[in-house]
Amino acid sequence: MAALPGASTLKLYYGKPMLPDVSRVLACLYEKDVKFELIDMYEGQHMPYEFLSLQAFTRAPVTVPHLTSCVAESRALCRYISAKYADRGNSYLLGRDILERASIEQWLKLEEHNFHPPSWELVFHLAFATPMVDPDPDLITRSERRLASVLDVYDQRLSENEFLAGDKFTLADLSHLPNSHYLATSRQWRHLFDVRKNMRRWWESISKRRSWTNVVEILTEVEVLKEQIAAGEENTTTLHLLPFTSHRTPPSTTGYVLPAPVTQSIEVVPYSPPQSQPESTPSPPQTTPQASVGELLHCRPPIE
């Protein structure tokens, strides 16, 4: 994934499947009411030469001054979008003063270094692994235990504040949306949220924001299209992007349509749905010593 912010319309390049880093940036764009063009590189679209000339590896973060610039890391993109378009949409994403910005950055660091690694292991197993990839039970168990320890700290924080960085929805919360979406709505791991009432309350609040429901609709369209291609049911389609609406502004009257011709030669990662499991009563969290926010910030591994 990468973005070219030099043009009047921000161009967002992505591949298939649509990974959480793309979802994170889309949510930020919708929060800020920023017009953008979503370009699927697997649909015959290619990165322009000026993009490729900036970096040897298309996923490496690159920032270049002046008009020609690109940014490839999703959290950096969200910071850029929030600062560049500070006067649009949600004005609280980066905070209202230096102290709030410091708190937001602290939770962004926690998300990147402590929440994301174990949660991504579970999300990959749940939503992106193919039948050809054998799951590693030990890795899954370790990741679940690590994530549970992190969520204990989050739950304590959310018992004191409506959102992670205070009383407003910010990038600290937004950055958690992609991985949380797959876990909190799954049969296998939603208990990680259900047994922590503050986490459940927080998730229900942030997942209902219009910016995220817009992203979920795009994800759903991509999944349906992917299944149709795999089944040989569709040869061509048009991907309709949703109007850029916000919880703070009236709905836009103009939609944005991005033609996306599809052929049978497109490489598609097979979708492997989670195994059906009987409903069970959520088990209480393990009574292990909890890490503190300070310990997480110093990247100390959770106690197992």
Side-chain angles (χ1 to χ4, degrees):
M1 179 199 69
L4 288 172
S8 58
T9 299
L10 190 147
K11 295 182 178 181
L12 184 65
Y13 291 82
Y14 76 101
K16 286 186 177 177
M18 185 178 283
L19 297 176
D21 54 353
V22 180
S23 303
R24 180 179 293 113
V25 176
L26 287 174
C28 186
L29 289 166
Y30 280 123
E31 281 284 335
K32 297 301 293 182
D33 296 327
V34 176
K35 185 177 180 180
F36 64 92
E37 183 179 357
L38 188 62
I39 302 175
D40 185 347
M41 292 183 293
Y42 279 87
E43 306 294 349
Q45 302 286 341
H46 302 285
M47 291 187 184
Y49 172 77
E50 60 268 25
F51 174 87
L52 295 175
S53 66
L54 296 177
Q55 55 183 5
F57 304 102
T58 58
R59 290 187 62 86
V62 172
T63 302
V64 179
H66 310 302
L67 294 179
T68 303
S69 62
C70 75
V71 184
E73 201 278 322
S74 63
R75 296 169 187 84
L77 267 170
C78 288
R79 290 181 175 93
Y80 167 82
I81 293 166
S82 299
K84 174 71 173 179
Y85 305 100
D87 58 341
R88 300 188 192 179
N90 184 348
S91 60
Y92 298 104
L93 290 186
L94 282 177
R96 293 161 290 192
D97 54 39
I98 297 175
L99 182 60
E100 288 186 0
R101 175 66 182 267
S103 179
I104 292 168
E105 291 294 343
Q106 169 181 271
W107 287 99
L108 284 172
K109 180 178 180 180
L110 289 173
E111 183 276 326
E112 182 176 5
H113 295 287
N114 297 89
F115 174 85
H116 178 77
S119 63
W120 170 243
E121 292 292 349
L122 301 183
V123 169
F124 178 80
H125 169 75
L126 181 69
F128 296 99
T130 71
M132 295 177 290
V133 178
D134 293 328
D136 183 342
D138 291 338
L139 176 61
I140 293 172
T141 299
R142 290 196 305 270
S143 297
E144 183 173 354
R145 293 180 62 186
R146 288 182 59 197
L147 181 59
S149 296
V150 174
L151 295 185
D152 285 341
V153 176
Y154 280 39
D155 195 60
Q156 175 61 37
R157 170 64 173 179
L158 291 169
S159 69
E160 304 166 354
N161 296 278
E162 184 176 359
F163 299 100
L164 289 173
D167 61 349
K168 298 293 183 181
F169 177 86
T170 68
L171 284 185
D173 308 286
L174 183 148
S175 194
H176 289 80
L177 278 166
N179 286 2
S180 295
H181 166 72
Y182 290 102
L183 299 178
T185 59
S186 72
R187 291 189 182 95
Q188 192 168 359
W189 285 300
R190 69 186 183 190
H191 70 274
L192 291 169
F193 291 74
D194 289 342
V195 300
R196 298 170 174 83
K197 66 177 183 179
N198 299 307
M199 284 294 300
R200 170 54 60 180
R201 183 265 307 162
W202 170 77
W203 167 249
E204 290 178 351
S205 173
I206 66 175
S207 63
K208 292 177 181 177
R209 296 181 72 84
R210 185 58 182 166
S211 58
W212 184 246
T213 59
N214 282 352
V215 175
V216 171
E217 290 188 39
I218 293 178
L219 292 174
T220 301
E221 271 195 74
V222 171
E223 282 298 320
V224 170
L225 175 59
K226 185 170 63 176
E227 292 175 359
Q228 290 175 341
I229 296 171
E233 296 175 2
E234 291 288 339
N235 290 326
T236 59
T237 189
T238 299
L239 176 63
H240 296 268
L241 298 187
L242 299 173
F244 303 126
T245 58
S246 168
H247 64 287
R248 302 179 67 248
T249 58
S252 171
T253 58
T254 304
Y256 299 88
V257 180
L258 175 63
V262 180
T263 67
Q264 292 293 332
S265 62
I266 293 176
E267 178 183 353
V268 177
V269 178
Y271 172 67
S272 176
Q275 297 293 325
S276 298
Q277 297 183 4
E279 295 290 339
S280 60
T281 303
S283 58
Q286 298 180 358
T287 56
T288 55
Q290 296 183 13
S292 66
V293 173
E295 289 173 326
L296 293 181
L297 282 173
H298 286 86
C299 299
R300 292 179 54 182
I303 300 173
E304 298 189 6

